[in-house]
Amino acid sequence: MAEIKTIGVLTSGGDAPGMNAAIRAVTRTALSHGVKVKGIKRGYAGLLAEEIVDLERQNVSDTIQRGGTILGTARCMEFTTEEGQAQGAEICKKHGIDGIVVIGGDGSYRGAQALARHGINTIGIPGTIDLDIACTDYTIGFDTAVNTAMQAIDKVRDTSSSHERCSIIEVMGRNAGYIALWCGIANGAEDILLPETYDYNEQNIINNIIQNRKKGKKHHIIINAEGIGHSTSMARRIEAATGIETRATILGYMQRGGSPTCKDRYYASIMGAYAADILIEGKTNRVVAFKGGEFVDFDIEEALNMTKEIPEYQYKISKVL
Ligand code: ADP
Ligand code: F6P
């Protein structure tokens, strides 16, 4: 097993609050072992463009509290091709990079897997606000995103109650409903629409709104997941059917920004350190995860083949509450 002398770190896919804590932990852990660190800017796009900088301890100071990613991120189509991946591995070798920590989601793991195939050791860290990575119960950024969304939804609720309106609030999550489920429960929403469970029967929602209004409820909050979308047209149809003023609010990118919560800083720090440690031990083609209350690692292929469902009991409870 060749000794690891230099590692790279990159962030890829959508940015997530806490990514900086992970970059900082990777950097400082590797340096503590006498291993050099290079920051690769703008994900795989920056790798192919050779946007590579040395990272010293002080380069990551004053970053743990910042949202976004200090390295920048990108989605890079070229890296999904065999030529792009071979070129990426060649660039690593040229810069003396023996291993890379990739912070991102499932797509980014595929890129890491490709680099490992080309002889560059790789470790993935789950970085996405969507919580949609099957092998782990925690992903960097989810906690901050749900707290940001929860606070925004509380504010919409104030105005919604004052005007006795119905509000449809759309939250992010790509094809997954975790942000919607958590906000739905935490904000006490009347209806929660998840891509995994929604039956597309709007009449049920309309009946629920009418019944609640009869009981004297002043507001009606519907949390709609991005994977279902179409909140504005849904609001128009619901208003026409109920006669109750209905507004749509799409929270959008505000959910992805902002200073990370304590949980995101803490978990991202431990995951960053763990990734650097196992990379330096010589492990490759692995992803770090938080599973069953512990920090663990899985083979990337095994991780990508895992599936994750919306927890049935939690969803059932959301309907009761
Ligand atoms: P995420 O990592 O959050 O799932 P994406 O799916 O957009 O986000 O993937 C991020 C980047 O990872 C892509 O822009 C691309 O550069 C790389 N990537 C995605 N899929 C693959 C693949 N099958 N092979 C190699 N690289 C990939
Ligand atoms: O994966 C994070 C996420 O914010 C998803 O919730 C959303 O579907 C997607 O990224 C948006 O991506 P983009 O930044 O390319 O618009």
Side-chain angles (χ1 to χ4, degrees):
M1 191 175 71
E3 194 195 343
I4 301 279
K5 295 201 181 74
T6 303
I7 68 166
V9 55
L10 63 81
T11 48
S12 168
D15 63 303
M19 280 183 164
N20 290 329
I23 296 166
R24 174 178 175 272
V26 167
T27 304
R28 292 190 170 175
T29 305
L31 291 171
S32 77
H33 291 290
V35 171
K36 285 192 183 150
V37 184
K38 290 187 187 270
I40 300 158
K41 296 194 167 174
R42 297 195 307 110
Y44 296 118
L47 175 63
L48 296 181
E50 296 191 52
E51 293 175 32
I52 299 170
V53 294
D54 290 333
L55 287 181
E56 299 295 345
R57 216 183 144 79
Q58 65 275 15
N59 298 125
V60 290
S61 76
D62 198 21
T63 63
I64 198 165
Q65 78 283 14
R66 285 197 229 157
T69 157
I70 55 165
L71 290 174
T73 186
R75 304 203 201 263
C76 172
M77 277 312 288
E78 204 184 337
F79 206 73
T80 61
T81 66
E82 177 55 36
E83 303 78 66
Q85 293 157 10
Q87 194 193 343
E90 278 316 305
I91 291 169
C92 288
K93 287 172 193 160
K94 179 177 157 192
H95 288 263
I97 297 172
D98 314 302
I100 291 195
V101 175
V102 170
I103 308 166
D106 280 353
S108 304
Y109 290 175
R110 289 268 173 226
Q113 212 178 15
L115 282 175
R117 266 198 311 272
H118 285 90
I120 307 297
N121 287 6
T122 54
I123 304 291
I125 296 181
T128 169
I129 63 164
D130 302 335
L131 196 69
D132 61 348
I133 302 181
C135 69
T136 183
D137 299 334
Y138 165 83
T139 63
I140 295 174
F142 176 76
D143 190 60
T144 307
V146 284
N147 276 288
T148 303
M150 181 190 74
Q151 286 169 14
I153 294 162
D154 280 344
K155 293 183 169 78
V156 175
R157 184 178 175 143
D158 287 345
T159 168
S160 199
S161 301
S162 303
H163 284 264
E164 300 186 22
R165 281 175 179 157
C166 169
S167 272
I168 303 176
I169 304 167
E170 187 172 311
V171 296
M172 274 189 166
R174 207 186 289 232
N175 300 317
Y178 298 101
I179 298 179
L181 176 65
W182 277 61
C183 288
I185 291 181
N187 290 98
E190 277 65 35
D191 281 295
I192 308 173
L193 313 183
L194 311 180
E196 295 89 341
T197 55
Y198 185 43
D199 60 4
Y200 290 86
N201 185 347
E202 255 171 35
Q203 195 54 48
N204 287 342
I205 302 171
I206 290 163
N207 295 345
N208 202 13
I209 294 169
I210 293 169
Q211 268 176 21
N212 280 336
R213 190 49 63 102
K214 278 190 191 144
K215 283 186 212 152
K217 264 205 177 175
K218 288 206 158 91
H219 63 270
H220 191 103
I221 302 290
I222 302 168
I223 305 296
N224 186 29
E226 175 190 17
I228 295 168
H230 303 288
S231 296
T232 307
S233 55
M234 198 187 284
R236 259 188 252 116
R237 287 191 300 273
I238 287 178
E239 180 165 313
T242 60
I244 296 168
E245 266 192 319
T246 304
R247 297 279 195 271
T249 305
I250 298 168
L251 294 185
Y253 293 101
M254 67 171 301
Q255 293 160 94
R256 230 161 70 181
S259 179
T261 58
C262 178
K263 181 170 181 178
D264 274 327
R265 296 180 199 195
Y266 187 90
Y267 279 56
S269 296
I270 305 298
M271 284 187 163
Y274 188 112
D277 274 337
I278 62 173
L279 191 56
I280 292 163
E281 265 172 37
K283 284 194 179 179
T284 181
N285 204 33
R286 312 279 302 170
V287 288
V288 178
F290 185 74
K291 197 82 187 155
E294 280 186 80
F295 294 94
V296 292
D297 54 283
F298 294 105
D299 173 78
I300 295 186
E301 192 58 37
E302 187 193 346
L304 289 172
N305 286 333
M306 292 181 188
T307 54
K308 176 158 144 177
E309 311 281 331
I310 288 285
E312 212 180 307
Y313 180 73
Q314 293 170 34
Y315 179 63
K316 199 177 87 189
I317 288 301
S318 77
K319 300 226 151 247
V320 175
L321 302 178

